[in-house]
Amino acid sequence: MREGVRDDVEAVLRIKNATWRTAYRGLLPQDFLDGLSVTRRAVEAWRGRIGSGAQHLLVGGPAGNPPGETDGEPDGEIAGFSLYGPARDEGIGGGEVYAIYVLAGHWSTGLGLALMTRSVERLRELGHREAGLWVLEGNTRARRFYERFGFTPSGRAQDVEGMPFPAPEVHYRMSLAPVSADSADQTA
């Protein structure tokens, strides 16, 4: 796993589209999913966000690499990514995991867990005391993953912005506050 760079954006967007087609089948209209493509405009927008330093990209390859291998990308293959930074929503402080997608052939391999772990660690290092994320309401697989990781529903809900159809999503949050020695003693 490594920090993503501007040159990774096209591969990342292809992963996003492929993952949407699989994970959102039955949740979003099939003609919409079939029509997803990587556009020059999307590539430039993502490169701008990453280049500005406001959003941070992590990319990773297949899990199961030999110990000590840090990039996790044999032959340059990227199988998943996460995008994170400050929360985008007014009234929600802290950091946010904007996106985390792993190609279906790499689900349940540990790559998603590694990407989420590193993203949350980085948000904590950036000084955020809370992490949040939005997930499609009907995406039970992702919701179980987030809940196992420690995220809990915040009670917020909305439709995904910019979609040409209703797409309800729910918000999850997780405290990033460090556990003090005193509070750890009280729970032991």
Side-chain angles (χ1 to χ4, degrees):
M1 184 175 334
R2 65 172 170 78
E3 293 291 324
V5 296
R6 293 169 48 93
D7 287 345
D8 294 322
V9 167
E10 285 187 58
V12 160
L13 290 174
R14 283 192 297 277
I15 290 168
K16 179 191 79 65
N17 290 348
T19 304
W20 276 42
R21 285 186 195 100
T22 303
Y24 299 161
R25 184 175 292 123
L27 298 176
L28 299 178
Q30 193 61 45
D31 59 337
F32 172 79
L33 295 172
D34 291 343
L36 292 173
S37 64
V38 176
T39 66
R40 177 66 32 215
R41 182 175 160 206
V43 169
E44 292 308 316
W46 277 58
R47 283 181 176 164
R49 284 186 229 134
I50 293 162
S52 74
Q55 296 184 2
H56 306 276
L57 178 66
L58 290 173
V59 297
N65 294 311
E69 183 173 337
T70 57
D71 68 4
E73 295 174 73
D75 301 322
E77 179 185 357
I78 298 174
F81 74 93
S82 65
L83 186 68
Y84 64 93
R88 298 171 289 182
D89 302 298
E90 285 187 33
I92 299 178
E96 181 177 349
V97 178
Y98 311 125
I100 181 166
Y101 293 107
V102 173
L103 291 171
H106 300 278
W107 287 356
S108 300
T109 64
L111 179 56
L113 179 61
L115 287 164
M116 181 63 83
T117 299
R118 180 79 58 95
S119 297
V120 168
E121 287 171 353
R122 296 273 170 84
L123 287 170
R124 186 178 286 116
E125 290 166 5
L126 291 168
H128 297 290
R129 297 183 58 80
E130 181 172 301
L133 56 83
W134 290 94
V135 58
L136 281 179
E137 185 176 48
N139 191 345
T140 55
R141 179 184 180 88
R143 291 179 73 171
R144 281 192 308 264
F145 171 77
Y146 301 141
E147 289 167 6
R148 281 192 312 265
F149 193 84
F151 283 89
T152 58
S154 72
R156 292 177 179 262
Q158 65 184 18
D159 273 325
V160 177
E161 188 176 324
M163 291 289 199
F165 43 79
E169 63 182 350
V170 293
H171 185 260
Y172 277 71
R173 65 165 297 279
M174 182 174 79
S175 174
L176 300 181
V179 177
S180 70
D182 292 341
S183 64
D185 289 341
Q186 294 172 3
T187 60

